[in-house]
Amino acid sequence: MRALLLATAALVAAPVAAQDHSAHAGHSASTQDPVAGNEAESHAHGASANQPAAEHAVVDHSAMDHSTMDHSKMDQPATDRSAMDHSTMDHSAMDHSEMDHGAVPVPSSGPPPRALEGPRHAADVIFGAAAMAPSREQLALENGGFRGGSFMFDRLETRVGQGEDLYLWDAQGWYGGDIDKLWIKSEGEGAFGGAVESAEVQALWSHAIDPWFDLQAGVRYDLEPRSRAHAVIGVQGLAPYMFEVDAAAFLSDRGDLTARIEAEYDQRITQRLILQPRAEIVLAAQDVRPAGVGAGLSSIEAGLRLRYEIAREFAPYIGVDYEAKLGRTADFARADGERPDRVFFLLGVRAWF
Amino acid sequence: MVDSPSVSRRSLIVSTAALAAATALPMPAWARGSSLASARKGFATLTGEDIRLTIARSHFMLGDRGGHAVTVNGSLPGPLIRLREGQTVRLHVTNQLDEDSSIHWHGLLVPFQFDGVPGVSFPGIRPGETFTYEFPVRQTGTYWWHSHSGLQEQSGHYGPLIVDPAHDHGPGYDREYVLLLSEFTPLHPHQIMRKLKVSEGYFNYTKQTATEGDMPLAERLQWGRMRMDPRDISDVTGSTYTYLVNGHAPADDLEFVFAPGERIRLRVINGSAMTFFNLRIPGVPLTVIQADGQDVADVTVDELQIGTAETYDLVVEPGAGAHTIVAEAMDRSGMGVATLTSAPGRRALVPALREPVTLTMADMGMGSMDGAHGGAMTHDAHGAMAGMDHGAGGAHGGMAMDHSMRDLSKLPADAQGAGVDMIAPMPIDRMDYPGLGLDKVGHRVLRYTDLRATVPNPVRRPDRSLEIHLTGNMERYMWSFDGKKFTAVTDDPIRFGYDERVRVTLVNDTMMAHPIHLHGHFFELVNGAGPAHQPRKHTLIVQPGSKATFDLTANEPGDWAFHCHLLYHMHAGMMQVVTVRPFPEGGA
């Protein structure tokens, strides 16, 4: 009798069970395991038949695949099987509370319609929408709305070589949120007591395109050796194997196309002592004779810096750097009476705020 | 000893007060850096129908380290609020800060408007205002309270909360102590957040280096290829934190006195902002009697890991003499220390910090890797990995693995891909995992699978299931649910029908353990204890690269916060609002 009663309940409930089982297959694998872990227990409880029929009525079993179920495990001690006509029984309407539900995935549907009833924001009803609105905005700001910035001298160093001693700065700063930032970069070089040999500044919009890389686009302005504006497009971020990479192409207001690729890697010797190999290459699509740049791979730079992080924000370093102009760029240098390659010993500091 | 709990409460207060007197030496204002009052260490107890709390700025000193603090009633932690089941309490909270504040009663079942989350349950408490929380107390157990405004919790705005049963059947113990574990940092919490955003691994001084760590090169390269740090256990560490027991640093030498032969109940609360603690009392077995304030069948262990915002009640029967209570930070960068002693002044050995923890492939959701946990993953483990199906041959950390490590199709289409650096390819249930670093310790460690509710839960089959991914990007310090920060889903809450029973599976697509907290409800861990005995919890640790499932009966109507209880993860966006509708007829 009880089984019949339950079956009736399930039948009545079937039309109202408008649950979306479309995502069922995809989720079954992920929802099944924890249930399966409970198999023995839930079976035991199912067998004790202490689950009210009403709960099961809202589950639309008709959409379930029972082909893999072992009906022989069904435990129906209270049922007089001889009185039942199994030939007309619709198994889709059977109550399965006495089966091992551990093997049946729970449907992963959306919330029931009643979940959308009532006020949009519960607290508005009690405190008023006007009182709640500012706190709701504040909540969003405090939980994901981070905006901040940083400014870093990646390299601020004295370069001691065969000729006069040089200074170099390579700085960048940003301000913004997780995805979009304003990014400022500047680098330059000069001789102590002499003129600034080169100086540039970039202003870029930086947009996260994947977990590790930003696409950066904007302008670069060269102050020295001669005023020149460039459009910039590039990527900056962390490459596999933990290489910090910054690669950008520059199109000057004279139509000259160049590119620069920098990569550096932090090898920790101890928690605070870090050896950083760094490489930079410059490419040009054409000769830019006034800048002494020849088409092709025009120069390379390879450096090794050993820094000690007194604090994460402040790390003095020593190092060595090798610069070489290549190909036509080297030819231009020689023609101008310069050495095409140089070695420097470095003394500097990496610092950020 | 008819009324032993109150006797012990008094002794607790006395002991901490004596310590406060000994350690809080009078200082000239210039030495404190401001004219703010110095916060007292430890807490007083407040009881009754009307309890008054005042939130104010203050200053906190630990030895030569001092910093800004936000305290309640002038102490750090704030007062112990001790309620009785069945009473109605009115908590009058006055905000003397120059910014909004709030108090959330962590683990208490309250009408949603008194849950204390500004922007969700109420507008918050503006400077100078007093807000009165009023609710009937309909549960018992060990809980805590804390600010839910900004990052105030980090600065000291938290305290313990205990509800005693209406009908005391006589305690099964002779004495009790509260152990509220937390951290102090002289840094302003906003500075911490900025450093985390600007510089990945800023606080981590236990990274693998050329001279530290025994991971073979091939494996290091594999981690490097994935741009992940296998020593990234805790975001904020002992490099800035001093770990506290009831507001006392290890150097404060906090002592809990007992008489030989006594059974002592320890109410352990992890009130930290960012720290999981490994708790042990060497030589003293710990019998767990409650988890998150809910009765569980006794289980005796030698150590347990308590996640941020969890509570455990333990009963111990220490032998005569002194025993060290060790609350070691999960990343082993520091510890909170106190002494349990039958002879005042006597001290036991304080064990050294254990070796730093190194993550394994299992923590990246690469399935079960038996024997691969701990700091010594061997090449054998590689063998096991090669045996896994990565869809291509030679899965030795090559391209095949990388492709399956970030399958964004497992997230909703509107997920922010830049905020998701990993999707666990084969997340498994790890409720039997004792916690990072505790799987190879050689003594008994508590696991979620040990927890079994003694009070049977109503058995109901879930109406539906729901899967929520815990997502993040270590490099950018972005944290979210389903790849969407709270800012992206403020109008798209997780909706439950009133009284609906939902089986929720949390999939941790990150390498960090997240303590996930749902306000206003207890859910039942699907931990194999059987439907009637699944332990009830308010906070659930989801182990790295794993999935964890709970059954929730959404029977508390209103709007509720749902978030990672690591403060800076929540602050980065790992939060959602849960709505339960409609309100039942005549209810709420």
Side-chain angles (χ1 to χ4, degrees):
Chain A
M1 265 325 286
R2 193 173 167 280
L4 272 176
L5 208 69
L6 294 179
T8 313
L11 262 180
V12 169
V16 266
Q19 290 170 359
D20 177 13
H21 288 268
S22 57
H24 202 144
H27 280 267
S28 59
S30 53
T31 53
Q32 205 158 349
D33 294 357
V35 190
N38 262 350
E39 204 160 319
E41 277 286 342
S42 49
H43 182 80
H45 281 273
S48 67
N50 57 1
Q51 294 177 315
E55 285 164 30
H56 289 274
V58 296
V59 182
D60 182 1
H61 285 268
S62 62
M64 285 182 180
D65 177 10
H66 293 156
S67 59
T68 58
M69 267 187 167
D70 184 359
H71 282 259
S72 66
K73 280 187 186 162
M74 274 179 72
D75 183 9
Q76 295 177 313
T79 310
D80 181 2
R81 282 161 208 260
S82 61
M84 284 170 72
D85 182 2
H86 286 271
S87 61
T88 60
M89 205 165 162
D90 178 2
H91 277 259
S92 69
M94 269 175 73
D95 176 74
H96 295 282
S97 67
E98 295 177 332
M99 279 188 185
D100 178 9
H101 276 282
V104 181
V106 178
S108 73
S109 55
R114 70 178 188 280
L116 293 157
E117 292 173 17
R120 184 164 166 230
H121 299 296
D124 286 5
V125 177
I126 289 166
F127 300 101
M132 285 303 294
S135 65
R136 202 167 284 125
E137 277 173 36
Q138 181 67 20
L139 182 75
L141 269 179
E142 286 177 2
N143 297 284
F146 173 89
R147 301 188 78 74
S150 178
F151 185 81
M152 169 185 269
F153 281 102
D154 193 26
R155 295 178 292 159
L156 183 62
E157 65 196 22
T158 299
R159 299 162 70 85
V160 179
Q162 290 95 325
E164 51 189 346
D165 298 346
L166 304 179
Y167 59 82
L168 175 147
W169 77 87
D170 176 2
Q172 48 185 304
W174 57 264
Y175 181 82
D178 289 325
I179 303 300
D180 291 290
K181 296 177 173 74
L182 170 67
W183 210 289
I184 304 290
K185 299 179 185 179
S186 175
E187 57 179 280
E189 199 174 14
F192 285 102
V196 175
E197 286 179 12
S198 69
E200 63 167 60
V201 60
Q202 300 180 41
L204 308 167
W205 164 71
S206 190
H207 177 78
I209 49 170
D210 88 347
W212 301 280
F213 275 92
D214 279 13
L215 177 70
Q216 300 182 328
V219 293
R220 165 181 143 190
Y221 188 73
D222 295 351
L223 300 141
E224 298 291 342
R226 61 198 62 73
S227 295
R228 189 74 81 227
H230 308 254
V232 184
I233 186 153
V235 290
Q236 181 172 0
L238 186 70
Y241 299 106
M242 298 287 195
F243 285 93
E244 291 279 357
V245 174
D246 184 355
F250 307 97
L251 183 64
S252 81
D253 50 14
R254 301 294 173 89
D256 296 326
L257 183 64
T258 55
R260 192 158 63 202
I261 302 165
E262 302 170 24
E264 53 190 48
Y265 178 81
D266 280 355
Q267 173 59 54
R268 287 176 189 283
I269 308 299
T270 70
Q271 297 297 335
R272 293 175 186 270
L273 187 66
I274 294 155
L275 184 66
Q276 184 196 65
R278 180 179 183 281
E280 178 175 330
I281 63 172
V282 176
L283 302 152
Q286 66 293 301
D287 289 352
V288 190
R289 188 62 184 91
V293 170
L297 178 59
S298 62
S299 68
I300 60 163
E301 189 180 338
L304 204 55
R305 288 170 179 77
L306 182 67
R307 72 173 188 266
Y308 185 80
E309 289 185 346
I310 294 169
R312 291 277 191 241
E313 291 92 337
F314 188 80
Y317 62 82
I318 54 169
V320 59
D321 198 46
Y322 171 74
E323 274 182 16
K325 293 174 168 137
L326 303 171
R328 294 175 57 78
T329 310
D331 297 340
F332 291 148
R334 285 188 203 98
D336 295 341
E338 289 175 17
R339 289 177 54 93
D341 60 348
R342 296 186 288 184
V343 173
F344 294 101
F345 292 95
L346 314 173
L347 185 64
V349 65
R350 181 179 186 268
W352 59 271
F353 311 97
Chain B
M1 295 289 267
V2 176
D3 194 14
S4 53
S6 69
V7 169
S8 56
R9 279 205 298 283
R10 210 155 41 235
S11 66
L12 165 67
I13 295 159
V14 169
S15 79
T16 51
L19 256 166
T23 52
L25 297 169
M27 298 186 73
W30 58 264
R32 293 199 301 263
S34 73
S35 58
L36 287 171
S38 245
R40 298 184 308 277
K41 294 177 182 176
F43 40 81
T45 302
L46 301 176
T47 59
E49 305 278 299
D50 287 275
I51 290 173
R52 286 171 208 287
L53 300 167
T54 302
I55 306 161
R57 272 196 199 292
S58 114
H59 193 267
F60 190 65
M61 285 300 294
L62 282 176
D64 57 355
R65 303 184 89 201
H68 155 101
V70 174
T71 56
V72 175
N73 291 11
S75 68
L76 192 157
L80 163 61
I81 296 170
R82 188 135 200 159
L83 307 174
R84 189 163 287 277
E85 181 190 17
Q87 79 164 102
T88 292
V89 64
R90 283 172 298 280
L91 295 135
H92 310 280
V93 181
T94 302
N95 176 15
Q96 290 185 352
L97 303 176
D98 52 11
E99 63 189 41
D100 284 11
S101 192
S102 57
I103 296 185
H104 163 61
W105 319 100
H106 187 107
L108 250 57
L109 300 171
V110 297
F112 78 87
Q113 66 268 31
F114 297 123
D115 190 51
V117 182
V120 179
S121 32
F122 80 136
I125 312 173
R126 273 177 272 284
E129 282 188 355
T130 297
F131 181 83
T132 298
Y133 297 80
E134 180 172 9
F135 50 84
V137 179
R138 47 191 174 110
Q139 65 195 103
T140 65
T142 303
Y143 304 97
W144 64 300
W145 55 265
H146 59 83
S147 169
H148 227 288
S149 298
L151 298 171
Q152 292 165 6
E153 184 197 319
Q154 174 80 85
S155 303
H157 184 334
Y158 53 83
L161 192 156
I162 292 171
V163 185
D164 292 310
H167 305 289
D168 217 329
H169 302 294
Y173 50 90
D174 306 306
R175 188 187 288 270
E176 71 163 39
Y177 286 116
V178 172
L179 259 63
L180 196 161
L181 311 176
S182 64
E183 334 104 333
F184 170 75
T185 168
L187 290 176
H188 190 284
H190 286 129
Q191 283 180 280
I192 292 183
M193 185 66 183
R194 200 180 73 88
K195 289 174 196 299
L196 289 168
K197 286 275 186 187
V198 169
S199 174
E200 205 277 325
Y202 180 92
F203 295 100
N204 184 357
Y205 284 93
T206 53
K207 291 180 181 178
Q208 294 194 118
T209 71
T211 55
E212 283 176 58
D214 49 13
M215 185 182 275
L217 179 65
E219 216 167 289
R220 290 190 188 209
L221 287 172
Q222 203 174 324
W223 283 87
R225 174 167 217 296
M226 294 181 288
R227 292 165 275 196
M228 302 282 181
D229 178 0
R231 285 280 181 86
D232 194 350
I233 307 296
S234 301
D235 296 336
V236 190
T237 71
S239 68
T240 185
Y241 280 154
T242 300
Y243 298 103
L244 307 179
V245 180
N246 296 354
H248 297 278
D252 294 344
D253 206 13
L254 179 65
E255 145 182 302
F256 299 102
V257 177
F258 69 96
E262 279 184 330
R263 286 166 59 82
I264 305 157
R265 177 180 190 157
L266 300 176
R267 297 177 180 266
V268 186
I269 301 164
N270 186 342
S272 73
M274 289 297 282
T275 307
F276 284 34
F277 289 98
N278 299 329
L279 186 86
R280 69 193 200 273
I281 308 174
V284 180
L286 316 169
T287 299
V288 180
I289 59 167
Q290 287 187 347
D292 288 2
Q294 308 298 298
D295 288 335
V296 294
D298 290 4
V299 49
T300 301
V301 296
D302 299 301
E303 184 165 12
L304 63 84
Q305 187 168 89
I306 181 169
T308 303
E310 290 188 304
T311 72
Y312 282 107
D313 283 45
L314 317 172
V315 169
V316 296
E317 292 179 74
H323 307 276
T324 305
I325 301 172
V326 182
E328 177 190 60
M330 176 169 69
D331 70 331
R332 282 106 192 253
S333 62
M335 59 169 82
V337 173
T339 302
L340 192 59
T341 179
S342 62
R346 187 182 296 177
R347 295 294 174 263
L349 192 71
V350 177
L353 287 169
R354 294 174 290 191
E355 283 297 299
V357 180
T358 308
L359 298 173
T360 71
M361 290 297 151
D363 301 314
M364 304 203 65
M366 308 203 52
S368 175
M369 302 272 301
D370 287 342
H373 296 303
M377 185 165 163
T378 63
H379 275 285
D380 297 345
H382 271 287
M385 210 162 58
M388 299 187 314
D389 179 15
H390 286 278
H396 228 65
M399 292 298 287
M401 176 183 301
D402 206 49
H403 281 307
S404 63
M405 290 300 294
R406 202 169 157 267
D407 177 7
L408 292 180
S409 70
K410 293 182 180 175
L411 297 184
D414 55 346
Q416 170 57 260
V420 182
D421 62 15
M422 169 183 136
I423 297 288
M426 286 180 284
I428 55 163
D429 187 290
R430 295 177 82 187
M431 290 237 187
D432 61 349
Y433 185 65
L436 288 170
L438 294 187
D439 53 336
K440 290 276 187 286
V441 289
H443 54 226
R444 295 166 295 177
V445 186
L446 186 73
R447 296 147 204 268
Y448 276 162
T449 45
D450 294 332
L451 301 176
R452 182 181 163 86
T454 47
V455 181
N457 300 306
V459 174
R460 270 179 66 185
R461 189 177 191 278
D463 303 318
R464 64 181 171 108
S465 66
L466 176 66
E467 189 172 272
I468 299 169
H469 287 254
L470 319 184
T471 44
N473 180 335
M474 316 277 260
E475 188 64 26
R476 296 184 192 273
Y477 208 72
M478 294 170 70
W479 301 100
S480 56
F481 291 131
D482 282 337
K484 293 179 279 188
K485 295 193 294 183
F486 179 62
T487 37
V489 292
T490 48
D491 293 323
D492 187 16
I494 298 171
R495 297 177 197 275
F496 293 122
Y498 175 71
D499 209 33
E500 187 186 14
R501 185 149 169 98
V502 184
R503 174 157 289 189
V504 180
T505 296
L506 303 175
V507 181
N508 188 349
D509 289 319
T510 79
M511 298 188 332
M512 306 208 94
H514 299 278
I516 303 297
H517 174 48
L518 173 63
H519 286 224
H521 294 77
F522 284 91
F523 46 74
E524 301 154 29
L525 301 194
V526 180
N527 69 340
H533 297 283
Q534 299 183 146
R536 283 152 48 86
K537 290 193 103 261
H538 52 57
T539 306
L540 159 67
I541 300 174
V542 189
Q543 300 293 351
S546 82
K547 56 184 178 179
T549 300
F550 61 78
D551 287 338
L552 169 72
T553 299
N555 54 8
E556 299 288 342
D559 291 358
W560 304 100
F562 173 69
H563 60 92
C564 176
H565 221 287
L566 295 175
L567 185 62
Y568 299 97
H569 286 194
M570 179 176 82
H571 199 60
M574 202 166 193
M575 174 165 176
Q576 251 282 32
V577 171
V578 162
T579 64
V580 180
R581 297 284 191 286
F583 287 83
E585 294 291 323

